[in-house]
Amino acid sequence: EENQGIPRFHYGTHYSSSATVLHYLMRLEPFTEQLVKLQSGKFDVPDRLFHSIQESWLSASGATNNMADVKELIPEFFYLPDMFMNRNRFNFGSKQTGETLDDVGLPKWAHNDPHEFIRKHAKALE
């Protein structure tokens, strides 16, 4: 079945790359510095930065018809709660909606607790 004239296919681009790792680990050094280098000395546009589990899922799952987003989860999603916290207080800017980016938005079932997110996420993998 085709979607708006586009035939089905698995991946239209590389689904795992160092840029994906930097995207997800941008709140932790030395990954922050490497991401800034990759983006010509500054953070990318805030709307494209990793800021929400829900929005990342919607984008990568195809729910938003974003055929280019094929990021896969990195292992840190199952053991590293610090990747969701902006402990270094980096200024990631604000989205077009005015939302200021800081910690990653987590699902309701995580109760805004990165440790709980990791615990339940890892348990689901088991």
Side-chain angles (χ1 to χ4, degrees):
E1 179 181 329
E2 292 188 5
N3 182 11
Q4 298 176 358
I6 301 170
R8 289 179 176 242
F9 57 92
H10 284 283
Y11 297 105
T13 184
H14 298 288
Y15 52 89
S16 184
S17 68
S18 58
T20 297
V21 173
L22 296 176
H23 173 78
Y24 286 131
L25 297 181
M26 64 183 240
R27 287 167 177 78
L28 300 173
E29 286 292 6
F31 306 101
T32 309
E33 181 182 350
Q34 295 303 312
L35 180 66
V36 169
K37 283 182 182 178
L38 180 69
Q39 296 295 334
S40 302
K42 59 184 186 249
F43 289 111
D44 195 5
V45 176
D47 289 76
R48 290 194 296 244
L49 294 175
F50 176 49
H51 63 277
S52 162
I53 297 289
Q54 179 179 355
E55 288 190 33
S56 293
W57 163 253
L58 291 173
S59 180
S61 69
T64 60
N65 290 324
N66 183 358
M67 305 289 280
D69 188 350
V70 293
K71 290 179 205 76
E72 62 184 13
L73 296 183
I74 58 175
E76 289 80 0
F77 267 89
F78 299 93
Y79 73 86
L80 188 62
D82 288 353
M83 71 179 277
F84 304 110
M85 298 180 270
N86 186 13
R87 290 190 175 177
N88 292 310
R89 311 311 317 155
F90 293 116
N91 180 0
F92 300 121
S94 299
K95 294 174 48 177
Q96 291 180 31
T97 62
E99 175 190 352
T100 300
L101 300 190
D102 193 27
D103 294 341
V104 174
L106 300 172
K108 290 181 183 180
W109 51 260
H111 307 289
N112 206 31
D113 180 350
H115 296 280
E116 182 69 2
F117 174 82
I118 292 291
R119 187 184 71 74
K120 287 182 177 177
H121 202 221
K123 185 153 182 71
L125 182 64
E126 293 172 4

